[in-house]
Amino acid sequence: MAHYDLIVIGGGMCGIQAAKQGAALHAKVALIEKDDVLGGT
């Protein structure tokens, strides 16, 4: 089982920013998105 410090659900603009901020703070981040692309609609 993998261990993550932060799990972000949704790869829209806010989800991407949350994942980037977590990574900038040296957290191990998982970003979960249902579609094939990031960025929302």
Side-chain angles (χ1 to χ4, degrees):
M1 177 186 292
H3 169 78
Y4 295 98
D5 300 310
L6 174 65
I7 299 174
V8 179
I9 300 174
M13 296 305 291
C14 293
I16 293 170
Q17 187 60 37
K20 285 174 62 175
Q21 184 64 37
L25 296 172
H26 306 288
K28 186 171 178 183
V29 179
L31 176 59
I32 301 171
E33 171 57 43
K34 66 178 180 173
D35 295 326
D36 294 334
V37 295
L38 296 175
T41 57

